Amino acid sequence: MNQQGILVVISGFSGAGKGTLMRALMEKYDKYALSVSATTRQPRAGEVDGREYFFVSQEHFKSMVENEALIEYAQYVDNYYGTPKDYVEKQRSAGKDVILEIEIQGALKIKKKFPDTLLLFITPPNAKELKRRLVSRGTESPDVIEARLKRAAEEAVGIEAYDYIIINDNIDDCVEELHHLIQAQHSKTSNRLDFINEVRNELNQL
């Protein structure tokens, strides 16, 4: 019987390299399932519906909210993002650790519903590097970049709510740090209650 997978939330400033980091982690290890979020934003060049996101209309997103088909949802720079419930539950039951790449609003909602969720925050080494990455990405207008930097300043206030902060300076080092932190979470007593009870019962029968 598979051990129940854990929930992991990855957040970070837009431009911190979360997507690149997630792809590298998934390529190296097969024990993770990356939750695909639903969003009302338009696809960027190269993005595929159902792979990076489920790209949906405002109307469809609202119906998902009304039907309680999302674990959480949040608004970010004029668009909505949400985590489909069905996919997460199926993957965890199969023993996969499910990674949710979501914003801080959604992360705190997840932590409230599922207290054992591991919250990890990804950041570049400094603010100048964050701006450089956003500009070099070449996918957004100066106004959108300015909005993302303003939002990053707001998000910086809530970083303390996360369990760990990871500085994304070297992608290979970051992947290993992520992997070890997630696997260590499996050994928390709150995640091994079934094992603890089994040992207790065995000891009482000796």
Side-chain angles (χ1 to χ4, degrees):
M1 182 178 177
N2 284 324
Q3 181 183 347
Q4 174 90 347
I6 63 172
L7 273 178
V8 183
V9 169
I10 302 286
S11 301
F13 306 127
S14 179
K18 300 184 297 296
T20 302
L21 190 54
M22 290 304 95
R23 284 191 293 274
L25 181 71
M26 300 294 288
E27 285 174 7
K28 187 164 186 180
Y29 299 103
D30 63 359
K31 58 197 305 122
Y32 301 114
L34 184 60
S35 178
V36 179
S37 296
T39 182
T40 59
R41 81 157 169 78
Q42 292 299 307
R44 296 187 186 125
E47 290 184 330
V48 177
D49 182 52
R51 188 179 67 188
E52 283 79 14
Y53 289 95
F54 295 112
F55 296 101
V56 301
S57 65
Q58 293 269 357
E59 291 75 20
H60 184 72
F61 194 94
K62 288 176 182 176
S63 73
M64 293 178 77
V65 173
E66 290 169 2
N67 293 321
E68 298 184 351
L70 300 171
I71 290 178
E72 58 75 37
Y73 67 95
Q75 186 176 8
Y76 180 71
V77 191
D78 298 328
N79 286 300
Y80 288 94
Y81 297 78
T83 303
K85 183 191 298 182
D86 186 56
Y87 175 85
V88 171
E89 291 177 346
K90 284 181 179 177
Q91 294 297 322
R92 289 189 70 197
S93 296
K96 292 272 190 179
D97 294 331
V98 180
I99 299 176
L100 283 59
E101 186 188 325
I102 55 179
E103 306 304 328
I104 191 167
Q105 291 172 289
L108 297 181
K109 289 176 185 176
I110 291 284
K111 188 74 169 179
K112 189 173 182 179
K113 285 185 181 178
F114 309 99
D116 288 330
T117 301
L118 178 63
L119 300 187
L120 303 174
F121 195 90
I122 311 297
T123 177
N126 53 60
K128 286 184 179 179
E129 174 63 12
L130 177 65
K131 184 175 183 179
R132 186 196 69 76
R133 291 181 188 180
L134 282 171
V135 172
S136 64
R137 198 156 65 179
T139 56
E140 286 135 355
S141 67
D143 286 345
V144 173
I145 290 173
E146 184 179 342
R148 292 194 183 280
L149 289 171
K150 183 179 179 182
R151 179 60 184 265
E154 295 169 357
E155 289 176 331
V157 177
I159 294 176
E160 292 89 345
Y162 286 73
D163 296 304
Y164 298 97
I165 185 168
I166 299 174
I167 298 172
N168 185 13
D169 199 11
N170 178 285
I171 191 71
D172 293 331
D173 292 343
C174 267
V175 166
E176 287 309 300
E177 188 174 359
L178 269 174
H179 176 65
H180 290 306
L181 286 173
I182 295 170
Q183 293 313 302
Q185 188 79 349
H186 279 283
S187 296
K188 282 188 66 176
T189 52
S190 58
N191 285 327
R192 300 306 302 274
L193 295 180
D194 288 344
F195 174 77
I196 292 167
N197 289 329
E198 184 180 332
V199 170
R200 283 176 178 157
N201 290 335
E202 289 175 352
L203 288 169
N204 288 332
Q205 291 170 12
L206 291 177

